[in-house]
Amino acid sequence: MDPNRAARGGEQSSLGGGMEKGGAESSIACARCGKPASLQCPKCAQLKLPREGAAFCTQDCFKEAWSSHKSVHIKLDALTLQQTPEGWQYCLKKGRTRTSQLPRFDWTGPLRPYPISKMCVVPDKIEKPDWALDGTPKIEPDSDLQKRVEIKTPEQIERMRETCRIAREVLDAAARIIKPGITTDEIDRVVHEETVARGLKEYDMLTLLSLVSRKLEDGDIVNVDVTVYYKGVHGDLNETYFVGNVDEASKQLVRCTYECLDKAIAIVKPGVRFREVGEIINRHASMSGLSVVKSYCGHGIGELFHCAPNIPHYSRVWHDRLWPDEWTAVTADGKRSAQFEHTLLVTETGVEVLTARLPSSPDVFPWLKP
C-alpha cells in the first residue's frame, strides 16, 4: 500500500510551482527547522489555511518537509468530503477524490463499484493512529523500519497478541451476519461497532465489492479485511466468505486460497528466504489451475501498519489490474478472486499465528469440519 503515491501525483504542482512570499516575517517560524520564515506553501494559501505550520524559510526546507506537510491538504480534503450534503460518492485516487458518475474504465467481469457511504464517527477518547482521518501515514514513510526488520520486544509481542486477538473477534462478528440480502454497509457498521465497543479504532473493512452499499446476492463470495489499532500496535487479518449457495468453481477458489496461506505458514521459521513463501503459494495455486494476484503483498506490522519486510506472495507471473480508485485489485479476465491473511510472529522454532481462528469462531469453512 502506498497512500503517498496519489498525493504525489495530485499535489506535486504545489511544490513545482514554487513558494509564495508572505507578509510579516519575524513572527512566523519555519514549519520544518524553526528558523524565521517568509515563504508560504501555495496550496495552503489557496486553501486559506493559517500560516503557522505552512511557512518555510527556503524552497529546500519546503521540499524536505513535503512528504509530511502535504497531509495537511489531504486532511482538509477529507473533512470537506464528509461535510458535502450529497455524501461520499464513487471513489478515485485511494479516496482522495470523489465523483457522482461511474468512472470511465475498461471494466473486467460483472463487478462494478457502487457509491461509498460517509465515514463512521470514532469517539474522540479513542486513541487513533496518525493516518486515521485521511488514510495517509505521517511517520511511516520516512521511518527507518522501512529499510530494516524490527525484532519485537517481549512487551511489544504481548501488545500484538492482545490486539490481534481482538481483530480476530471483530472479523468473526462480521462473518456471522454474512448472508444474501445484507449490504456491505451493514458489515461495515458491525465492524465499526464491535471495534469501538472495545475502545479501539478500526482501520478498514474492505470487501471485494470495494466498500460499496450493494446487497450481497446468493452465490457471491465476499472478502472482509479488518485491522485494529490498540495500545499503539496494529493487528491485521482477512478472510473470504461464501454468501448462500456458491458454485463449485468459487468453492474451489476459496479453498485453494485458504490452503495457499496454510502451506506458506507451515514453512515459516528463522532462515527461510522471503521468496520461498511466494514460491509455495504460487506452486499450489498453479497446480489448481489458478494464478496469484500481485497488486499487494505481505508486510511487516507493529507500531507501524506497513513496514519491512515486504513478503511477495507470488512468483514471476500474475494477471491483475487496478480500478480507478487505485486500491481495488481485480483479475484481468474478470474472474473471481479470493484472499486470506494472518498476522504472524516468527519465533525461534517456527511461527505463531497471532490472528488464528478461535474455538468461538463461526463454522463457515466446510473443509475445516471434522
Side-chain angles (χ1 to χ4, degrees):
M1 173 179 149
D2 180 12
N4 292 314
R5 180 174 58 191
R8 285 197 294 269
E11 295 191 42
Q12 193 65 39
S13 60
S14 296
L15 183 58
M19 302 288 289
E20 290 191 356
K21 188 77 173 179
E25 309 181 7
S26 57
S27 61
I28 301 295
C30 176
R32 178 176 177 269
C33 68
K35 294 179 180 178
S38 60
L39 304 175
Q40 183 179 12
C41 168
K43 181 69 173 180
C44 289
Q46 177 187 345
L47 295 172
K48 295 182 171 57
L49 296 177
R51 290 197 66 217
E52 290 76 7
F56 297 89
C57 58
T58 65
Q59 181 80 6
D60 288 340
C61 235
F62 180 51
K63 289 178 179 179
E64 289 294 324
W66 176 249
S67 62
S68 59
H69 174 72
K70 65 187 177 187
S71 65
V72 175
H73 314 148
I74 300 170
K75 180 177 179 180
L76 184 66
D77 289 342
L79 288 170
T80 302
L81 283 169
Q82 293 181 63
Q83 294 167 357
T84 54
E86 65 270 18
W88 286 26
Q89 303 170 324
Y90 293 103
C91 176
L92 298 172
K93 297 183 179 179
K94 289 191 173 77
R96 294 186 57 250
T97 304
R98 294 286 189 272
T99 176
S100 59
Q101 301 296 321
L102 180 69
R104 298 187 65 180
F105 186 68
D106 183 18
W107 307 102
T108 62
L111 197 62
R112 299 291 182 273
Y114 274 57
I116 298 174
S117 59
K118 290 186 177 181
M119 184 185 295
C120 298
V121 177
V122 179
D124 291 337
K125 64 180 181 180
I126 292 180
E127 180 188 12
K128 304 173 184 66
D130 65 3
W131 43 259
L133 178 64
D134 54 37
T136 301
K138 316 304 181 296
I139 298 174
E140 184 176 298
D142 299 322
S143 170
D144 67 337
L145 294 182
Q146 301 301 336
K147 300 177 182 178
R148 66 175 179 88
V149 179
E150 178 185 47
I151 304 301
K152 301 291 191 290
T153 66
E155 185 271 337
Q156 286 176 312
I157 290 171
E158 284 307 310
R159 284 189 285 143
M160 289 288 294
R161 284 195 179 106
E162 185 176 359
T163 301
C164 287
R165 181 186 175 92
I166 293 171
R168 161 55 67 182
E169 292 172 350
V170 171
L171 180 64
D172 286 349
R176 291 187 182 97
I177 70 164
I178 291 176
K179 62 181 180 180
I182 290 290
T183 68
T184 48
D185 259 354
E186 291 176 277
I187 301 173
D188 187 48
R189 177 184 55 79
V190 168
V191 169
H192 174 77
E193 291 176 356
E194 290 286 335
T195 308
V196 169
R198 291 167 170 81
L200 314 177
K201 165 68 178 95
E202 93 283 6
Y203 166 56
D204 55 14
M205 189 290 294
L206 302 176
T207 78
L208 292 182
L209 307 175
S210 188
L211 288 173
V212 304
S213 58
R214 170 191 185 275
K215 286 186 177 180
L216 299 182
E217 300 175 1
D218 188 63
D220 281 342
I221 60 173
V222 61
N223 179 269
V224 182
D225 189 329
V226 171
T227 303
V228 300
Y229 180 77
Y230 183 56
K231 293 188 175 180
V233 296
H234 300 80
D236 186 19
L237 78 163
N238 76 62
E239 292 181 336
T240 301
Y241 304 109
F242 301 126
V243 182
N245 301 303
V246 177
D247 63 80
E248 288 302 319
S250 295
K251 290 179 181 178
Q252 180 194 9
L253 167 67
V254 175
R255 178 167 183 169
C256 178
T257 307
Y258 185 97
E259 291 170 347
C260 282
L261 178 58
D262 214 31
K263 289 178 179 294
I265 291 173
I267 72 164
V268 175
K269 62 181 179 181
V272 172
R273 295 180 182 274
F274 297 161
R275 68 174 183 233
E276 294 179 53
V277 175
E279 290 170 354
I280 288 284
I281 292 171
N282 201 79
R283 184 181 307 121
H284 187 64
S286 298
M287 290 175 62
S288 300
L290 304 171
S291 60
V292 179
V293 172
K294 171 255 180 185
S295 297
Y296 302 101
C297 66
H299 55 88
I301 189 170
E303 293 175 355
L304 299 180
F305 188 8
H306 299 90
C307 54
N310 287 330
I311 309 295
H313 52 256
Y314 48 86
S315 187
R316 292 186 177 88
V317 180
W318 56 82
H319 304 283
D320 62 282
R321 58 192 302 187
L322 289 179
W323 275 2
D325 61 11
E326 298 182 6
W327 175 256
T328 305
V330 296
T331 55
D333 58 9
K335 294 181 179 179
R336 288 181 167 183
S337 61
Q339 183 183 11
F340 288 86
E341 177 183 30
H342 276 305
T343 297
L344 309 177
L345 170 67
V346 180
T347 67
E348 292 182 354
T349 57
V351 64
E352 178 182 342
V353 183
L354 299 182
T355 50
R357 293 177 62 80
L358 304 171
S360 60
S361 294
D363 184 10
V364 293
F365 302 121
W367 57 87
L368 297 181
K369 296 179 181 178

